[in-house]
Amino acid sequence: MSVLGGKNILLGVCGSIAAFKAVALASQLNQAGAAVTTILTKDAARFVTPLSFTSVTQRPAYIDLYTPDPGRILHIALAEEADLLAVVPATAHTLGRMAQGLADDLLTCTVLSTQAPVLVAPAMDGGMFTNPATQQNLATLRERGVHVVEPLAGRLASGLVAQGRLPEVDALIAEMRAVLGSGGPLAGKTVVVTAGGTQEPLDPVRYIGNRSSGKMGFALAEAARDYGARVILITGATTAPPPHGMETVSATTAAAMQAAVNEHTAQADALIMAAAVADYRPQTAQGQKTKRTGDSLALTLVENEDILAQVPHTLVKVGFAAETEHMIEHAESKLTRKSADLIVANDVSRADSGFGTDTNQVVILSRDRPPESLPVLAKTEVAETILQRVAALLRHGAGRSC
Ligand code: CTP
């Protein structure tokens, strides 16, 4: 189940033109299984209405601190129930009130009362955001442990192009998932994940590539983030939308990926190699576009080093085995050859597994257990299972002590 499933999220909405995005955010959180209760400031209610939020969340949306709520004090009850209080969008005024500890409406009273983690996503005109007063308020909030989602640079409602745009809903949800997962089974661990396919250049316009979409690697990176890990995602060529809330490094050739993996695994606790790395590269990449000659063309390919195999076994190592025949046999040999703790084998000739699909049917091979065959699952569910196994290996002393 996703880290949002069954969570009580208190969504504070302030009076910014970006308030309309909070409706889409509430809707997607609700669809992901979270119970979303909304508090609007009175200015937020000039842009969007409580009805917008109750319609998409099927839960209450409040404005007034003095809303009758028999048997309980509304702001205290809301504060106690929350697993996360997210102020999206947060205006300069409300950030100022939060930094000063003011309690003059339902939202600020609840912020002061809650023990839940608090996240703010500022959205305002560029000059207001860069103003030292706003920056100082944000610094104060950060010091108190509030998670600040940086606004994006772009075109603002005023026409100015500056920093102040509210990030898109998927980026906001990723930040919320990271906060909710921060105490999870991989808290304090660093996990390096590779995703996508490598492209080995033939000349300035052509390359040898493969059909990897990056979906499985991205799902693994998200699952690791949601379990509380610091994630470094090393990505080759991909077609799937990239995940948020992690450090991302681009590495499109096998050689670049090897250098990135070696650099980032030096301090990591686990490496998950989901990337489809080319086993061979053209011996020479032509400096100019190769011209048609009217004759056949022979290419000489040289072997790339096996990235997973050459990483020292001082951390938990997970590899994939994309096979079209003799799956278990090949995967078992990879477990030993690459000194891996886990090999996740999948039959890429199946329609429901492998490249580009949203589902995968995998068998997990490990050193101390018989192969575990999972049913056809969403790649997100496969990723969660693999990360649970990684967390268990780390708990039992694998990795640094290997
Ligand atoms: N891998 C790697 N470096 C390579 C090739 C593969 O680290 N140069 C990793 C992949 O990311 C994957 C695992 O090794 O986690 C197995 O990849 P796969 O392509 O299935 O196996 P190969 O070792 O390339 O063997 P073969 O192509 O013969 O099946």
Side-chain angles (χ1 to χ4, degrees):
M1 154 126 54
S2 131
V3 72
L4 291 166
K7 294 287 172 7
N8 281 315
I9 294 181
L10 206 45
L11 179 63
V13 183
C14 304
S16 153
I17 182 59
F20 77 93
K21 283 191 192 168
V23 181
L25 173 66
S27 172
Q28 286 200 26
L29 289 170
N30 178 58
Q31 287 171 45
V36 183
T37 305
T38 311
I39 302 176
L40 295 89
T41 63
K42 68 177 184 347
D43 288 330
R46 296 162 79 100
F47 292 91
V48 283
T49 70
L51 183 60
S52 315
F53 291 96
T54 51
S55 302
V56 296
T57 63
Q58 295 89 49
R59 292 185 53 88
Y62 302 99
I63 301 174
D64 189 0
L65 176 60
Y66 303 103
T67 307
D69 196 19
R72 56 185 209 159
I73 302 168
L74 182 59
H75 67 279
I76 306 283
L78 293 175
E80 278 175 1
E81 283 163 10
D83 293 303
L84 171 69
L85 196 165
V87 185
V88 185
T91 53
H93 181 58
T94 293
L95 291 170
R97 291 189 298 153
M98 287 171 69
Q100 290 303 311
L102 299 184
D104 57 352
D105 67 359
L106 181 57
L107 178 58
T108 48
C109 282
T110 311
V111 169
L112 273 189
S113 311
T114 194
Q115 298 297 314
V118 176
L119 173 150
V120 294
M124 63 198 71
D125 207 48
M128 294 174 80
F129 181 69
T130 50
N131 190 293
T134 307
Q135 289 302 316
Q136 202 171 337
N137 288 333
L138 283 169
T140 303
L141 293 173
R142 276 196 193 93
E143 256 168 48
R144 292 188 198 139
V146 170
H147 302 268
V148 179
V149 181
E150 287 292 320
L152 303 177
R155 192 179 183 284
L156 304 173
S158 64
L160 189 74
V161 176
Q163 190 179 8
R165 279 176 71 84
L166 188 68
E168 295 307 322
V169 169
D170 54 353
L172 294 167
I173 289 185
E175 298 285 352
M176 294 166 80
R177 284 168 55 159
V179 174
L180 283 165
S182 58
L186 290 173
K189 305 291 183 197
T190 299
V191 177
V192 176
V193 180
T194 66
T198 63
Q199 296 180 336
E200 308 301 320
L202 284 159
D203 67 22
V205 292
R206 303 181 182 94
Y207 57 80
I208 298 177
N210 59 64
R211 292 169 45 217
S212 172
S213 63
K215 279 182 189 168
M216 191 64 238
F218 289 174
L220 286 156
E222 289 190 312
R225 177 203 62 201
D226 291 356
Y227 279 171
R230 170 181 171 234
V231 179
I232 300 166
L233 173 64
I234 300 174
T235 165
T238 58
T239 51
H244 301 272
M246 60 193 68
E247 193 180 326
T248 302
V249 178
S250 168
T252 39
T253 63
M257 190 168 279
Q258 182 174 359
V261 166
N262 289 347
E263 179 189 338
H264 293 284
T265 47
Q267 299 302 323
D269 299 283
L271 166 66
I272 307 179
M273 283 291 305
V277 185
D279 289 330
Y280 292 90
R281 67 179 182 281
Q283 187 170 36
T284 39
Q286 304 300 327
Q288 303 299 330
K289 187 182 170 200
T290 309
K291 289 300 194 190
R292 179 196 289 272
T293 61
D295 205 353
S296 59
L297 181 69
L299 284 175
T300 305
L301 302 178
V302 292
E303 210 173 7
N304 286 324
E305 206 171 340
D306 188 317
I307 303 175
L308 183 59
Q310 53 90 58
V311 169
H313 197 193
T314 51
L315 73 176
V316 168
K317 289 170 57 172
V318 181
F320 276 71
E323 307 296 346
T324 54
E325 56 176 0
H326 308 301
M327 186 172 82
I328 299 294
E329 203 182 312
H330 286 315
E332 266 168 358
S333 109
K334 285 175 190 174
L335 193 64
T336 328
R337 196 154 34 91
K338 295 171 192 262
S339 63
D341 297 281
L342 301 176
I343 287 284
V344 183
N346 62 344
D347 178 349
V348 286
S349 60
R350 288 173 58 131
D352 54 11
S353 282
F355 297 128
T357 58
D358 288 324
T359 54
N360 227 353
Q361 198 279 313
V362 303
V363 180
I364 302 179
L365 287 94
S366 61
R367 288 158 170 264
D368 54 355
R369 289 204 218 176
E372 182 190 355
S373 183
L374 303 183
V376 178
L377 293 171
K379 283 184 173 170
T380 49
E381 294 169 301
V382 174
E384 274 186 43
T385 310
I386 294 168
L387 267 304
Q388 282 161 13
R389 298 286 295 271
V390 169
L393 282 164
L394 287 168
R395 248 195 333 272
H396 294 115
R400 291 269 158 225
S401 60
C402 292

